[in-house]
Amino acid sequence: MRLSLNTATVKRATLAEAARLCADNGITGIGPWRDAVDAAGGPKAARALLDSYGLTVTSLCRGGFFTSPGGEEDTRRAVEEAATLGTGELVLVVGGLPAGTKNLPAARQTVADAIERLVPVAARHGVRLAIEPLHPMFCADRAVMSTLSQVLDLAERFAPHEVGVVVDTYHVWWDPELFSQLARARGRISCYQVCDWILPLPEDMLLGRGHVGDGHIDFAPITQAVLDAGYHGFAEVEIFNQSIWDTPPSETVSTITSRWQKTFP
Amino acid sequence: MRLSLNTATVKRATLAEAARLCADNGITGIGPWRDAVDAAGGPKAARALLDSYGLTVTSLCRGGFFTSPGGEEDTRRAVEEAATLGTGELVLVVGGLPAGTKNLPAARQTVADAIERLVPVAARHGVRLAIEPLHPMFCADRAVMSTLSQVLDLAERFAPHEVGVVVDTYHVWWDPELFSQLARARGRISCYQVCDWILPLPEDMLLGRGHVGDGHIDFAPITQAVLDAGYHGFAEVEIFNQSIWDTPPSETVSTITSRWQKTFP
């Protein structure tokens, strides 16, 4: 499996710097966030930049937040940006409970309804809606969809090229149904993201992710199951961690590369 | 549904103080932790104390940690303590990954093997092993069993009076299968624990629980589903939260009582 650098891992770097670091380290894929694309002059300019380094754009992060005002409209723009950027996978974080509400089934229905409306839009652009189940600890504030099983239930209402799933080790490693659901996801794995579960979690639980190998996740069997499900794409390293963000990006990318070689020999 | 005070909610109070606060507030159940029982002179003395207040002992917290050295032996002692204390429900937190390991399926097997050995021991004492699925964010360090479905798969290998499940809203509220699994749990719900999911989580994620009504959980449908599953026991209020621990116990118990009346009218 080839390696891809998600730009969130090197938050301080510009897209140009991230692309050069990829090239310097033999990394052939990149997964940009939209803010990095914007800062690089928009998706057209970003595509030219990434093309100049021969990088495959493995996904665009992200659309979604359908339970907040404006989320669906913003996701329509993200679909166009993904198409312009040359990636067929738009990562979606579906959103948490609407402010002031506690009705989880209703929030999930809001998400399903938005996806249904977006599928034809995305399909016209050749972009797959790649729904990411987030760790259950983000259920209230970020994603009312927490498991692969739950996302596949929704995705399977559509064609495999229309709606896929993001498998992020951080979010799914604990799931007792992980391996059966990965097998079920055949043809629908849009993106495989890796980072490790480290303890203790920091005060901002969003930022508690670690370099592959620093935590509790057993990556080899998960990666094998992703491969067995017919996934031929990249492993995208996406790590939210303040101390990693405070590290020089060149050092971070070097660590990523060596960890990768060690963990997936 | 009647109310029970889990002693962890009023960590600063002695068992005698907690029992008196129950009596003062019309609470008829109590769920002690073993340290509170020890400090009260052991299970026999604790039972006499709680009997003198006419309190039903709704559970004993806790045994388990089968993936750590000594966990199984300690749980055998906890079985005896539960029997002496006069409760038929011993809450089990199964334990996380053994130190230095990452093999989640193996850890789960270790738990299943220990349960199998303990069932006849507990049955002889008239005690049910009440397995608690913990929120997936505790998978690495506290409980390799995260969902009701997973725990029921194990529990159903035994008779309903031998192995039950603990339903704690904090741990299960996010689960897309919550309602179907509660229905499946008929006859096996050992204990219904309530507290709320509040954000942000504190640095010690164990202590991020809130009073019922302060967070994001919609309690009424969950309580109704627990009742519909034939559960006739108490709702045990168990809240781990430093600021609640820093509050005078009398104030905490008063808040619990009023929240209860408001949330389950």
Side-chain angles (χ1 to χ4, degrees):
Chain A
M1 202 182 283
R2 293 158 295 171
L3 195 55
S4 172
L5 175 68
N6 184 289
T7 63
T9 309
V10 288
K11 200 183 167 79
R12 288 199 319 187
T14 64
L15 191 63
E17 287 165 351
R20 207 194 50 246
L21 286 171
C22 284
D24 290 350
N25 287 273
I27 295 173
T28 55
I30 191 164
W33 277 64
R34 291 168 72 199
D35 56 351
V37 170
D38 279 349
K44 207 169 164 183
R47 180 175 190 164
L49 168 71
L50 301 177
D51 277 353
S52 75
Y53 284 97
L55 290 169
T56 299
V57 181
T58 51
S59 74
L60 177 64
C61 286
R62 61 177 160 58
F65 282 86
F66 300 119
T67 53
S68 298
E72 187 173 338
E73 294 64 32
D74 182 61
T75 305
R76 285 175 189 259
R77 287 191 294 274
V79 165
E80 292 173 15
E81 292 168 25
T84 306
L85 200 58
T87 178
E89 308 288 357
L90 175 63
V91 175
L92 302 181
V93 171
V94 300
L97 286 167
T101 75
K102 303 189 183 196
N103 191 333
L104 207 41
R108 287 166 176 158
Q109 189 59 50
T110 298
V111 170
D113 292 346
I115 295 283
E116 189 167 11
R117 284 188 295 268
L118 283 167
V119 161
V121 178
R124 271 200 303 279
H125 285 86
V127 170
R128 177 153 69 171
L129 299 174
I131 308 176
E132 182 166 10
L134 254 54
H135 193 284
M137 72 183 179
F138 298 114
C139 186
D141 54 343
R142 296 191 168 265
V144 292
M145 294 195 168
S146 309
T147 64
L148 277 173
S149 169
Q150 189 181 15
V151 168
L152 286 168
D153 284 348
L154 174 55
E156 286 175 354
R157 297 185 208 164
F158 308 96
H161 69 278
E162 291 174 329
V163 181
V165 299
V166 178
V167 177
D168 183 322
T169 53
Y170 189 80
H171 296 306
V172 303
W173 75 280
W174 61 273
D175 187 349
E177 293 186 30
L178 175 58
F179 293 98
S180 59
Q181 295 300 324
L182 285 175
R184 179 185 168 198
R186 171 171 289 275
R188 290 195 189 264
I189 299 179
S190 291
C191 187
Y192 177 48
Q193 295 183 332
V194 291
C195 71
D196 215 336
W197 177 270
I198 54 172
L199 290 174
L201 295 187
E203 190 149 5
D204 182 345
M205 65 185 177
L206 196 62
L207 307 185
R209 309 180 197 190
H211 276 296
V212 167
D214 280 351
H216 299 278
I217 298 177
D218 194 7
F219 287 91
I222 302 176
T223 302
Q224 190 58 51
V226 167
L227 290 167
D228 290 347
Y231 178 75
H232 301 300
F234 292 68
E236 205 177 281
V237 179
E238 185 190 48
I239 312 176
F240 293 6
N241 182 308
Q242 191 61 52
S243 78
I244 293 176
W245 289 344
D246 292 339
T247 302
S250 61
E251 197 178 310
T252 297
V253 176
S254 164
T255 303
I256 284 170
T257 311
S258 65
R259 291 301 177 87
W260 176 258
Q261 285 159 354
K262 199 170 157 186
T263 316
F264 311 100
Chain B
M1 201 182 283
R2 291 158 298 170
L3 196 55
S4 172
L5 175 68
N6 185 289
T7 63
T9 309
V10 287
K11 202 184 166 79
R12 289 199 318 188
T14 64
L15 191 61
E17 287 164 352
R20 207 193 52 245
L21 285 171
C22 286
D24 290 350
N25 287 272
I27 295 173
T28 55
I30 191 163
W33 276 64
R34 291 167 71 198
D35 56 352
V37 170
D38 279 349
K44 204 168 166 186
R47 179 175 192 166
L49 168 72
L50 300 177
D51 277 353
S52 75
Y53 284 98
L55 290 169
T56 299
V57 180
T58 51
S59 74
L60 177 65
C61 286
R62 61 177 160 59
F65 282 85
F66 300 119
T67 53
S68 299
E72 187 173 339
E73 293 65 33
D74 181 62
T75 305
R76 286 173 189 260
R77 285 190 295 274
V79 164
E80 292 173 16
E81 291 168 26
T84 306
L85 200 57
T87 178
E89 309 287 356
L90 175 63
V91 175
L92 302 181
V93 171
V94 300
L97 288 166
T101 75
K102 303 188 183 196
N103 190 334
L104 208 40
R108 288 166 176 158
Q109 189 58 51
T110 298
V111 170
D113 292 346
I115 295 282
E116 189 168 11
R117 285 188 294 268
L118 283 166
V119 161
V121 178
R124 269 200 303 279
H125 286 84
V127 170
R128 177 153 69 171
L129 300 174
I131 308 177
E132 182 165 10
L134 255 53
H135 193 285
M137 71 183 179
F138 298 114
C139 186
D141 54 344
R142 295 192 168 265
V144 292
M145 295 196 168
S146 309
T147 64
L148 276 173
S149 169
Q150 188 182 16
V151 169
L152 285 167
D153 284 349
L154 174 55
E156 286 174 353
R157 298 185 207 164
F158 308 96
H161 69 278
E162 292 174 330
V163 181
V165 299
V166 177
V167 177
D168 184 321
T169 53
Y170 189 80
H171 295 305
V172 303
W173 75 279
W174 60 271
D175 186 350
E177 292 186 31
L178 175 57
F179 293 98
S180 59
Q181 294 300 324
L182 285 175
R184 179 184 168 199
R186 172 171 289 277
R188 288 194 191 267
I189 300 179
S190 292
C191 188
Y192 178 46
Q193 294 183 332
V194 293
C195 72
D196 215 336
W197 178 269
I198 54 173
L199 291 174
L201 295 187
E203 190 148 4
D204 182 344
M205 66 185 177
L206 196 63
L207 307 185
R209 309 181 197 189
H211 276 297
V212 167
D214 280 351
H216 299 278
I217 298 178
D218 194 8
F219 287 90
I222 303 175
T223 302
Q224 190 57 52
V226 168
L227 289 167
D228 290 347
Y231 177 76
H232 302 300
F234 291 68
E236 205 178 281
V237 179
E238 185 191 48
I239 312 176
F240 292 7
N241 181 308
Q242 192 60 53
S243 77
I244 292 175
W245 289 344
D246 292 339
T247 302
S250 62
E251 196 179 311
T252 297
V253 177
S254 165
T255 302
I256 284 169
T257 311
S258 64
R259 291 302 176 85
W260 175 259
Q261 285 160 353
K262 199 170 156 186
T263 317
F264 310 99

